[in-house]
Amino acid sequence: MQRYNFLIIFANKNFKNTLIMSHLPSIITDLAIILIFASVFSLICKMLKQPVVLGYIVAGFLAMQFPFASHKLNTENISTWADIGVIFLLFSMGLEFSFKKLLKVGKVGGQAMLFEAITLSILGFTIGKLVGWGTTDSLLLGAMLIMSSTAIIVKAFGDLGLKKERFTQIVFGILIFEDLFAILLMVILSTLAVSKGVGGMDLIFLVLKLVFFIVIWFLSGIYVIPTLLKRTKKWLNSETLLIVSLGLCFGMVVFATSVGFSAALGAFVMGSLMAETLELERIEHVTQPIKDFFGAIFFVSVGMMVDPKILVENFWTINILAAASIFGKTIFTTIGVRLTGQSIKTSMQTGFSLAQMGEFSFIIASVGIGLGITSSFVYPIVIAVSVLTTFTTPYTMKLAIPAFNVLESTLPKKWLDKINKNQDRRAVQRTTDWGELLRSYFIFLSIFLFICIAILILSFEYLYPFASTFTKPIIGKLTALAITIAAISPFIRGMIHNRGKQPFLFLSLWQQDRQNRLFLTLLIAMRYMIAFTIVFLIIWKYFHIPAFIIFLIAAVVFGVIFQSKLLLKQYWRMESRFVKNFNERQIQEKIKEFAANGDMGDTFHELDNLHWIDRHLYLTTYTVQEGGECVNKTLKEINFRSKFNVLILSILRNGKQINFPDGDFVLLKGDTMLVSGGIEHLKRLTYHYHNIHINFQDTKTLHQFASEQSADPNSTIRCMTFIVDKSSAWVGRNLMDSKVGQKSKCLVIGVERDGIPRLNPPSHYVFQEEDMLWVMGDEKSLYKLLESNLFE
């Protein structure tokens, strides 16, 4: 009883103290005012069927007009809340970002956005100077005119039922590049604030630095994060997943700011990395309320920074900029999309859809003001323009088709014929062997260089100073050197390894013209010289000894790396994990889609487009010449599979294609064989049978071949990839016992297990759970095969 009396007295004392304390922390008062106004006006916008973002902005604007509210608000607290809101907004944008979409629509979206960016920047800068703005403000105005609103466009597409229209994919492609441009711009603004100016070389260095860090973040993030979430999945309930996601987000924010970039960039990068994981939907679900909460605070704070006096004073400027945003974006985006080869109708629908100034514009303006780069009057003007153009967006979208009809009926037929020339042409043209070789060569070389440079920076900046603190420096340096060499060796081995289609392209160009050989030799030598130089620099950094001794040691180390099959397998395993992590979510989505409705649709094309082994397995055609060893012999007699580890997928004879011939099939003069195998296997086949002519122009990666077959309605060969389920009847059975060829008339052309690929597996190969299989057959056969794996 005494215990309860004590608790009552304690509670009464605290209650009295609470009554006496009439002052709350200002941050709670600020939050209360923000949320009350935001809730009222968000409900009003919902009733009026308008985006809630407008309600938040109006709420913030009106809150500052009421003395009882504006006098109680602490601007420093509001600024902090807004900064957190920007982080969550960029994190959520990253979750919606997809590297796959970027690759899919990259060419059209990138080219159209580049044209749009150049023309609108000039237009914005010109208008800014005409209305008396400074140079920096005018330049930023041009950049802000480029930005469209993803949120508003998505909502309008849904309301108007346009989401499945072809032009919407182009719109989203342009929006992705606009977001990337905005991220780059914020990085430049941050640098301007620190250095008070950026020269031409400084800007180039900044862009290179940004590209370097994004590539490293992307490679390391895709390698680590999906694996981390997968291995901890059984402990990831909603609470722990939320904490882990936010921890990774803010960790990347801190790291990005520590290396000189903005917090927004760090949040966006981490969101985009998590967008490639299997947990994406759950992450979006658990973070959605927090994103909505802080997003509302940010947009309310945007409205609070609008000064009505500035709006009145700049009434005509606001209307001019709104007109420039609507008409400028409509015209220039339409032209930009048309220049990529799209039809006039598609181009106009795209241009009319992007005719607004988006939320990224006032995020940029807010960052500029916070860094002291832009004038304070720019911010409310940009917000007013964004609000006006947001209201007009649904109407401009509806006007696209009527405008196209007017244009088509008004212009003379000769003009229309000229405009429509090459309408809907594909932007993809056949590249030359040289173009394909150089593109592949320098892309892979750059990636390996970035990785090696990152390892060198970590070693020289952190490991070397630590090693120097040892009581016996020689022991510390040797240990640090061994760690550095061990970390970098797999990537050096990958750098000097023949990759992709390069060996075939080298061989083809080598045989085409003797003059090609010098340049090809230089390309090979350059790759080896770069790899050797990296090893040399590591040893030189740790030991100050004569250069010729360093050279000899580096040569020995490089020789060991070059000859090591273990390092090559280690690199393959690392690359396999990266590509598997990058693609696993899309694979699972496609398999679930098939399991749900049984409709293959584009599933064959989509699945074969997602894997690692397609860069290691190639298809080419060989023509049997007269008088050769293969003429009048059965496939069982020549036995290509056991001798060279290659498979014969089809044979073309007198215009007729015979798919997946059996062992009793007899080869005749003039037969053209479609063969699959690894690079070295196909080369050995070529060297062994001199009477078999290889058709270099027909050599394709598995990905290229499968894409072409999927696009050809007359094709009878399809490629599919799937994972052996734990409940599958195939688990524990070998290739012969499963009778894949007999039951479904398909060929298993590749298997990946634990990150190691196996091309053309033998008949005794035993399937295990989680094996990834690459199979070829006709559509009906593949359907039957996948069904047996999923449902038996």
Side-chain angles (χ1 to χ4, degrees):
M1 187 68 182
Q2 290 179 349
R3 179 184 176 188
Y4 291 114
N5 289 335
F6 171 76
L7 290 174
I8 292 170
I9 293 169
F10 180 78
N12 286 334
K13 283 183 178 179
N14 279 278
F15 180 68
K16 290 177 182 178
N17 290 337
T18 305
L19 290 178
I20 293 170
M21 282 183 59
S22 60
H23 177 69
L24 283 172
S26 61
I27 194 168
I28 297 178
T29 306
D30 297 340
L31 189 59
I33 294 171
I34 288 172
L35 293 180
I36 289 170
F37 275 85
S39 61
V40 171
F41 286 94
S42 63
L43 288 172
I44 293 173
C45 281
K46 279 293 183 183
M47 287 186 285
L48 296 175
K49 296 183 178 180
Q50 296 297 324
V52 291
V53 171
L54 293 179
Y56 296 147
I57 295 173
V58 173
F61 174 75
L62 292 179
M64 296 303 289
Q65 311 314 311
F66 288 89
F68 78 88
S70 60
H71 291 167
K72 292 180 179 294
L73 288 168
N74 185 313
T75 54
E76 291 184 3
N77 289 339
I78 300 298
S79 177
T80 302
W81 285 109
D83 289 342
I84 298 173
V86 170
I87 289 173
F88 277 102
L89 280 172
L90 269 295
F91 179 66
S92 64
M93 286 182 180
L95 290 175
E96 295 170 3
F97 178 80
S98 171
F99 291 100
K100 290 289 190 313
K101 289 180 182 177
L102 182 63
L103 296 173
K104 187 175 181 180
V105 298
K107 196 160 189 178
V108 174
Q111 290 177 353
M113 189 269 167
L114 180 62
F115 180 84
E116 173 197 50
I118 294 171
T119 51
L120 287 175
S121 295
I122 296 171
L123 176 64
F125 180 79
T126 304
I127 293 174
K129 297 301 279 185
L130 289 175
V131 298
W133 291 13
T135 301
T136 303
D137 292 337
S138 299
L139 285 170
L140 272 181
L141 174 62
M144 288 185 284
L145 277 180
I146 299 168
M147 303 301 155
S148 300
S149 174
T150 304
I152 303 302
I153 289 173
V154 169
K155 183 182 183 302
F157 281 166
D159 293 343
L160 299 174
L162 298 173
K163 283 188 175 181
K164 294 185 178 180
E165 295 290 328
R166 176 186 171 189
F167 75 92
T168 59
Q169 293 303 311
I170 300 174
V171 170
F172 289 132
I174 294 173
L175 287 171
I176 288 172
F177 280 96
E178 287 182 356
D179 290 348
L180 293 176
F181 175 77
I183 293 292
L184 175 61
L185 187 58
M186 283 191 283
V187 172
I188 294 173
L189 288 176
S190 302
T191 307
L192 276 169
V194 174
S195 62
K196 304 299 180 183
V198 176
M201 291 304 298
D202 292 334
L203 184 60
I204 293 173
F205 175 77
L206 176 64
V207 172
L208 290 175
K209 179 183 174 183
L210 178 63
V211 171
F212 171 76
F213 274 101
I214 286 179
V215 169
I216 295 301
W217 286 336
F218 171 70
L219 295 175
S220 57
I222 294 295
Y223 185 79
V224 173
I225 292 173
T227 303
L228 171 67
L229 295 180
K230 200 160 41 177
R231 292 183 177 178
T232 59
K233 185 175 182 178
K234 62 182 178 181
W235 301 293
L236 289 177
N237 58 21
S238 297
E239 180 183 357
T240 53
L241 182 61
L242 173 63
I243 299 303
V244 169
S245 301
L246 297 187
L248 290 171
C249 172
F250 280 92
M252 181 60 82
V253 165
V254 172
F255 183 73
T257 53
S258 68
V259 295
F261 296 119
S262 66
L265 175 64
F268 181 83
V269 168
M270 183 50 65
S272 63
L273 293 176
M274 289 190 167
E276 305 299 338
T277 67
L278 292 175
E279 303 299 322
L280 171 62
E281 287 75 17
R282 290 182 64 203
I283 293 170
E284 287 179 321
H285 177 72
V286 298
T287 59
Q288 184 72 31
I290 297 178
K291 188 266 288 187
D292 291 340
F293 173 74
F294 283 102
I297 292 174
F298 169 74
F299 288 113
V300 172
S301 71
V302 166
M304 288 177 173
M305 296 182 68
V306 177
D307 187 345
K309 293 180 181 178
I310 295 177
L311 297 183
V312 173
E313 292 171 359
N314 295 275
F315 175 79
W316 290 110
T317 302
I318 291 169
N319 283 279
I320 290 170
L321 291 177
S325 177
I326 294 170
F327 293 105
K329 292 211 74 170
T330 299
I331 295 169
F332 293 129
T333 306
T334 297
I335 296 172
V337 175
R338 181 67 190 92
L339 290 175
T340 66
Q342 304 303 312
S343 67
I344 299 176
K345 182 180 178 180
T346 299
S347 302
M348 291 183 69
Q349 286 178 301
T350 304
F352 278 70
S353 299
L354 291 163
Q356 75 282 133
M357 187 179 283
E359 56 272 10
F360 243 135
S361 299
F362 43 83
I363 292 175
I364 291 171
S366 174
V367 171
I369 291 172
L371 296 172
I373 295 172
T374 56
S375 303
S376 58
F377 68 84
V378 173
Y379 193 75
I381 292 175
V382 169
I383 294 169
V385 173
S386 178
V387 171
L388 286 175
T389 55
T390 296
F391 279 118
T392 62
T393 296
Y395 304 103
T396 56
M397 286 184 180
K398 291 178 182 178
L399 283 173
I401 298 300
F404 169 72
N405 293 334
V406 170
L407 182 70
E408 196 173 38
S409 61
T410 304
L411 290 179
K413 189 175 182 302
K414 288 184 179 179
W415 290 18
L416 281 173
D417 291 341
K418 190 172 183 180
I419 294 173
N420 284 324
K421 188 178 181 181
N422 297 325
Q423 180 171 312
D424 286 324
R425 64 180 171 82
R426 296 291 178 187
V428 179
Q429 297 177 351
R430 180 178 174 83
T431 57
T432 63
D433 285 349
W434 273 114
E436 189 174 357
L437 173 64
L438 293 176
R439 175 177 164 275
S440 171
Y441 179 91
F442 284 107
I443 285 175
F444 283 112
L445 186 62
S446 300
I447 290 173
F448 284 113
L449 267 177
F450 282 167
I451 295 172
C452 291
I453 290 171
I455 295 173
L456 291 180
I457 291 173
L458 291 173
S459 176
F460 294 170
E461 293 296 322
Y462 299 100
L463 199 57
Y464 180 79
F466 175 73
S468 302
T469 61
F470 278 47
T471 53
K472 292 184 178 180
I474 186 65
I475 302 297
K477 289 182 178 182
L478 282 172
T479 304
L481 176 64
I483 293 172
T484 305
I485 293 291
I488 210 169
S489 292
F491 302 105
I492 292 178
R493 186 66 182 90
M495 182 188 296
I496 60 180
H497 177 64
N498 287 325
R499 306 188 51 78
K501 197 180 173 182
Q502 289 180 19
F504 284 111
L505 293 171
F506 266 100
L507 188 58
S508 175
L509 291 167
W510 188 276
Q511 294 180 351
Q512 282 178 19
D513 192 338
R514 287 182 175 273
Q515 295 181 356
N516 293 340
R517 298 181 181 183
L518 175 61
F519 189 70
L520 290 170
T521 304
L522 290 175
L523 288 177
I524 297 171
M526 184 171 71
R527 188 169 58 189
Y528 281 82
M529 287 177 63
I530 291 172
F532 178 80
T533 302
I534 292 170
V535 177
F536 182 90
L537 285 174
I538 295 171
I539 300 172
W540 173 80
K541 175 67 177 179
Y542 281 91
F543 296 100
H544 301 291
I545 53 180
F548 77 92
I549 297 178
I550 296 176
F551 184 89
L552 291 175
I553 297 172
V556 172
V557 173
F558 181 77
V560 172
I561 293 173
F562 176 72
Q563 293 293 332
S564 175
K565 292 183 178 179
L566 181 64
L567 284 175
L568 184 59
K569 286 184 178 181
Q570 175 65 21
Y571 167 73
W572 279 354
R573 190 175 288 110
M574 295 168 70
E575 182 180 314
S576 173
R577 178 192 287 186
F578 172 84
V579 178
K580 185 176 180 180
N581 287 346
F582 187 51
N583 296 312
E584 194 166 20
R585 180 170 154 266
Q586 286 81 2
I587 298 171
Q588 295 299 328
E589 285 178 353
K590 287 296 174 181
I591 292 177
K592 287 178 182 177
E593 179 184 334
F594 166 68
N597 53 38
D599 180 16
M600 295 305 291
D602 292 329
T603 302
F604 294 111
H605 171 65
E606 292 292 338
L607 287 180
D608 73 66
N609 195 19
L610 296 173
H611 300 291
W612 177 78
I613 207 169
D614 62 358
R615 298 199 301 274
H616 293 264
L617 190 123
Y618 301 88
L619 294 96
T620 190
T621 56
Y622 293 90
T623 303
V624 179
Q625 304 292 325
E626 184 176 3
E629 301 173 40
C630 298
V631 178
N632 296 326
K633 287 189 178 180
T634 65
L635 298 184
K636 191 184 295 183
E637 290 174 326
I638 59 176
N639 202 5
F640 281 174
R641 183 165 191 164
S642 62
K643 288 181 180 178
F644 306 103
N645 197 26
V646 300
L647 288 175
I648 298 176
L649 303 177
S650 70
I651 294 175
L652 184 65
R653 175 179 292 173
N654 299 324
K656 182 180 179 181
Q657 183 170 309
I658 301 110
N659 294 331
F660 313 114
D662 59 25
D664 296 324
F665 188 90
V666 178
L667 286 176
L668 301 178
K669 183 191 95 174
D671 284 350
T672 299
M673 300 178 288
L674 176 64
V675 180
S676 73
I679 294 170
E680 299 301 327
H681 307 142
L682 295 176
K683 286 167 67 176
R684 284 205 305 269
L685 176 63
T686 305
Y687 296 147
H688 185 83
Y689 290 102
H690 299 290
N691 60 303
I692 296 181
H693 175 67
I694 182 172
N695 304 311
F696 285 107
Q697 297 301 325
D698 291 333
T699 303
K700 300 177 179 68
T701 63
L702 178 59
H703 164 62
Q704 291 172 324
F705 176 82
S707 298
E708 290 177 4
Q709 297 300 307
S710 296
D712 183 3
N714 299 318
S715 172
T716 55
I717 296 181
R718 293 285 189 270
C719 179
M720 183 179 68
T721 307
F722 61 90
I723 300 172
V724 176
D725 189 79
K726 63 181 178 181
S727 59
S728 172
W730 296 11
V731 176
R733 300 169 67 181
N734 61 34
L735 194 58
M736 180 180 292
D737 292 338
S738 62
K739 299 180 180 179
V740 173
Q742 295 177 24
K743 287 183 178 180
S744 59
K745 296 183 179 179
C746 297
L747 283 177
V748 178
I749 59 175
V751 178
E752 181 189 321
R753 177 181 299 165
D754 297 328
I756 300 297
R758 181 70 180 265
L759 306 182
N760 301 329
S763 58
H764 61 268
Y765 191 88
V766 178
F767 295 120
Q768 295 181 9
E769 181 186 343
E770 298 298 320
D771 279 353
M772 298 179 69
L773 272 60
W774 281 257
V775 186
M776 279 196 171
D778 59 53
E779 189 163 328
K780 184 177 179 181
S781 300
L782 289 173
Y783 184 100
K784 183 178 179 181
L785 184 68
L786 182 56
E787 191 176 42
S788 68
N789 178 54
L790 288 173
F791 306 119
E792 279 191 12

